[in-house]
């Protein structure tokens, strides 16, 4: 076993403190030589693949998006509209998206098991139900770990949040993959407040200061190196790399006409930023749109939220295609759950995981495909039930990875994707 | 009829439908209650015969309903027929139930749906069919009203527009543009020269129908909130009504919202003095969480509103801004209708039942109300 260089003298951790503790007993003392089967990243040496997740927070209604049931007891007031794929209809709230249907694959038979926000999100992002004793890395960390980066200077795992602060590498979403692959958050699409060097600090002084910090850090690490100090060091390293490419985060550099196409609102700006980041070579970007947790007046709120989503999403697909990036960028539209077919007495829809939909596009995806079916009023899966494990396999297969391989934390094989599931071949190109 | 006492209001009938109701309106005579439902139908309940008739033609939910082409003839017809029937029961037993119902006065119903369509119906016909369909709005048509002279239909919706139509042929007259958001409701002033409309953000516009211009905005913004937690707007006038003399305009909805997506807020009605635009806010006396979905000025001088959240209520106000009486409704109340003579009111229940209330006491020995027929 290679020598541990941490102060605790156990094996090489490369995990966050929380991830380490969460995995104690099962994956403590992680193995040293990488987490994937040898050569996994090399599979993508020919072309960099990227992943973009649009996460509709709170649980978007499948009936108001991908699986409308007009004129049924659950259908609500909206109509289904034709799309660019003959025979495929989606909700009228997505008229621009409907013109992109030939680029989309829709999965209408998802049973994600848990109608709980937190658990549902973990299930959808890790492709597994929660297990005692181990935390699995989210899709972003897996993609950042396994896909070749096109932007060595930028983090591989970025998430654009609707609001809140921005920060580097403090999330537990990488689990045993370690802080290097943890998400960097951009609250409201803004880079960390101290991204740019203050005007009163000269480049020379800044460099001297950083050099001094690095010396102190190295000296400390010689005797007290730990997962926590690694996370700290990685955060600084990420920040330094990002600072050098700060202009990538500045959507104001875009042609105003392009910004108009995306829409002059937060989500439009965030999706435009996502495109810039992907274009710059970032491996994985997740954009969250808030909020769809519509227990009350579901229909009014979906008009407003999907009214924001529809146009910039379609513009983004067009842009990725126009730039030749769509073939190498997997795009996924998901939530942590769907919403009840039954309309409650406040015109709301409640939490629901038993039969809902996601949409995919881009790299490795068969555009125009629709897989799975729900019953006439959407209350159950009628055909080809899948769960998040199938989707996780599909995401990885779509970008050319083998989801049946393993990570090797603590020299113990941990399947990259849930071995009880398999990729949904019908939607793979 | 003696002056109605809100405290004397009692449940008279329960008119049942299989699907949740959305809106309700009495026809000008008060004989029929029209109730729209989540199955895209409008159900017509005949309060004289108990007959229930489905108006089928919409492909989406209907919330706006208004009547054209017939003057209000008063709802004495219902009571008179029931008195005659009761007399026959007394002398001829229940064979008296065969007493032929009077022929209803002709009138036109205009209904508005969430696909943006208006449909004209012969409301008194045995089996009403769509007479005319107008593609009125892009997106939802949220409300419809008919001018006091019965010649003009006004509609509003999610295309931010108020549109005027000729009642007799459905042709477009004028579009009133100026709202910056979805227009939730509208009402004609009783003098027929002006129209008020209210949008999502509580901006009330006072339109001059001769010029098509909004001469002023009134502020009902306390009925709107942008929920920064969920990053979405909630608001709008769920009901609008002028008092019969035109001196007051009410906009009802939800205020004090702390959680838009759970409907945590309180019902409220902003009542403007139409002359000077000053507002007062009517609120329930009780602590109640929900939305006011219907409002009416009673001819006797008091006001009433219906709403729902965790159960349904009807509140009454006289001289104070705090309600003086409340009725509990067995389901969330999604709309309120007041008959033209003020003798009855009804609420549309989220459980599929329309609850009809009366201010009159039940005559001793009167037979139970005729059950609705399917």
């Amino acid at each position: 076993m290679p020598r541990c260089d941490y102060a605790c003298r156990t094996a090489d951790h490369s995990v966050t403190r929380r991830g380490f503790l969460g995995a104690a007993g099962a994956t403590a003392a992680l193995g040293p030589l990488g987490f994937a089967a040898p050569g996994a990243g090399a599979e993508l040496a020919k072309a960099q693949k990227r992943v973009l997740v649009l996460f509709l927070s709170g649980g978007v209604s499948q009936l108001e998006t991908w699986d409308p049931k007009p004129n049924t007891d659950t259908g609500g007031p909206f109509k289904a509209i034709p799309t660019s794929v003959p025979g495929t209809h989606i909700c009228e709230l997505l008229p621009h998206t409907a013109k992109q249907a030939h680029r989309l694959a829709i999965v209408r038979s998802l049973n994600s098991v848990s109608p709980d926000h937190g658990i549902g999100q973990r299930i959808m992002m890790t492709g597994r139900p929660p297990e005692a004793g181990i935390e699995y890395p989210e899709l972003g960390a897996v993609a950042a770990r396994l896909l070749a980066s096109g932007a060595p200077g930028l983090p591989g795992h970025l998430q654009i949040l609707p609001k809140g602060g921005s920060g580097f590498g403090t999330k537990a979403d990488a689990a045993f993959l370690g802080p290097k692959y943890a998400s960097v958050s951009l609250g409201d699409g803004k880079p960390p407040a101290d991204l740019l060097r203050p005007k009163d600090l000269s480049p020379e002084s800044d460099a001297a200061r950083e050099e001094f910090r690095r010396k102190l850090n190295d000296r400390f690490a010689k005797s007290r190196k730990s997962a926590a100090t690694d996370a700290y060091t990685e955060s600084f390293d990420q920040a330094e790399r990002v600072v050098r490419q700060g202009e990538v985060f500045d959507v104001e550099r875009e042609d105003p006409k392009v910004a108009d196409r995306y829409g002059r609102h937060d989500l439009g700006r965030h999706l435009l930023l996502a495109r810039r980041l992907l274009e710059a070579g970032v491996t994985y970007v997740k954009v969250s749109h808030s909020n769809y947790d519509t227990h009350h007046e579901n229909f009014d709120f979906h008009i407003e939220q999907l009214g924001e989503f529809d146009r910039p999403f379609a513009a983004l697909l067009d842009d990725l295609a126009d730039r030749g990036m769509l073939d190498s960028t997997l795009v996924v539209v998901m939530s942590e759950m769907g919403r009840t077919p039954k309309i409650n007495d406040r015109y709301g829809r409640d939490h629901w995981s038993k039969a809902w939909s996601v949409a995919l596009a881009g790299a490795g995806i068969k555009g125009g495909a629709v897989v799975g079916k729900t019953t006439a009023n959407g209350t159950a899966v009628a055909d080809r039930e899948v769960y998040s494990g199938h989707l996780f396999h599909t995401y990885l297969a779509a970008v050319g990875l083998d989801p049946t391989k393993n990570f090797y934390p603590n020299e113990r094989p941990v399947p990259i994707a849930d071995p009880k599931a398999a990729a949904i071949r019908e939607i793979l190109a | 009829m003696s002056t109605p006492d809100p405290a004397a209001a009692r449940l008279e009938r329960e008119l049942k439908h299989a699907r949740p109701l959305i809106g309700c309106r009495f026809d000008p005579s008060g004989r029929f209650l029209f109730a729209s439902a989540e199955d895209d139908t409008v159900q017509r309940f005949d309060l004289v015969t108990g007959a229930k008739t489905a108006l089928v033609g919409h492909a989406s939910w209907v919330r706006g309903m208004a009547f054209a082409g017939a003057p209000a003839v008063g709802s004495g017809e219902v009571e008179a027929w029931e008195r005659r029937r009761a007399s026959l029961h007394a002398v001829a037993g229940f064979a008296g139930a065969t007493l032929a119902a009077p022929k209803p006065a002709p009138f036109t119903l205009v209904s508005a749906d969430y696909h943006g369509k208006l449909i004209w119906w012969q409301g008194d016909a045995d089996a009403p069919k769509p007479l005319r369909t107008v593609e009125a709005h892009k997106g939802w048509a949220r409300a419809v009203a008919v001018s006091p002279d019965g010649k003009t239909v006004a509609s509003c919706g999610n295309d931010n527009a108020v549109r005027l139509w000729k009642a007799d042929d459905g042709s477009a007259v004028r579009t009133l543009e100026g709202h910056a958001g979805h227009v939730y409701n509208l009402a004609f002033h009783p003098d027929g020269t002006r129209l008020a409309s209210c949008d999502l953000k509580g901006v009330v516009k006072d339109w001059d129908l001769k010029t098509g211009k909004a001469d002023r905005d009134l502020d009902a913004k306390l009925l709107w909130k942008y929920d920064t937690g969920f990053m979405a707007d909630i608001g709008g006038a769920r009901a609008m009504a002028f008092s019969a003399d035109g001196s007051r305009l009410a906009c009802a909805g939800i205020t004090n919202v702390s959680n838009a997506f759970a409907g945590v807020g309180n019902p409220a009605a902003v009542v403007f003095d139409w002359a000077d635009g000053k507002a007062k806010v009517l609120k329930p006396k009780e602590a109640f969480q929900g939305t006011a979905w219907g409002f009416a000025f009673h001819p006797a001088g008091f006001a009433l509103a219906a709403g729902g959240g965790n159960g349904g209520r009807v509140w009454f106000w006289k001289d104070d801004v705090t309600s003086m009486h409340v009725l509990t409704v067995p389901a969330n109340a999604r709309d309120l209708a007041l008959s033209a003579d003020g003798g009855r009111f009804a609420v549309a229940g989220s459980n599929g039942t329309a609850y009809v209330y009366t201010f009159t006491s039940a005559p001793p020995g009167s037979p139970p109300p005729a059950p609705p027929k399917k």
Side-chain angles (χ1 to χ4, degrees), chain B residues 163-239:
Chain B
R163 302 185 193 278
L164 304 180
W165 316 87
K166 284 186 180 175
D168 59 1
D169 64 7
S171 59
V173 175
R174 170 173 266 167
T175 297
L176 308 178
E177 293 177 319
H179 281 290
H182 297 173
V183 189
Y184 270 57
N185 229 308
L186 77 177
F188 279 98
H189 190 274
D191 73 8
T193 65
R194 311 195 73 84
L195 181 140
S197 56
C198 180
D199 65 27
L200 168 67
K201 295 190 176 180
V203 176
V204 179
K205 292 199 172 288
D206 172 10
W207 302 96
D208 182 330
L209 294 175
K210 281 187 180 171
T211 65
K213 304 294 182 190
D215 292 338
R216 61 175 174 166
D217 286 356
L218 301 176
D219 182 355
K221 291 190 182 69
L222 68 79
L223 298 178
W224 164 72
K225 181 178 180 178
Y226 179 74
D227 187 322
T228 55
F230 292 104
M231 308 182 80
D233 295 278
I234 183 170
R238 311 308 173 92

Side-chain angles (χ1 to χ4, degrees), chain B residues 19-83:
Chain B
R19 298 296 313 285
L21 301 181
I22 297 169
C24 60
R25 288 290 180 274
F26 286 104
D27 79 288
S29 76
R31 172 167 172 169
F32 299 106
L33 182 74
F34 289 83
S36 56
E38 287 186 13
D39 58 6
D40 306 339
T41 67
V42 175
Q43 299 293 324
R44 186 185 69 183
F45 296 97
D46 187 334
L47 302 185
V48 169
T49 67
K52 178 184 171 188
T53 305
L55 280 64
V56 178
H58 287 285
S60 184
W61 294 1
V62 171
R63 186 147 199 280
M65 291 180 283
F67 302 93
V73 295
S75 62
E77 176 187 45
V78 179
E79 286 75 10
W81 184 79
E82 285 185 353
R83 280 195 297 274

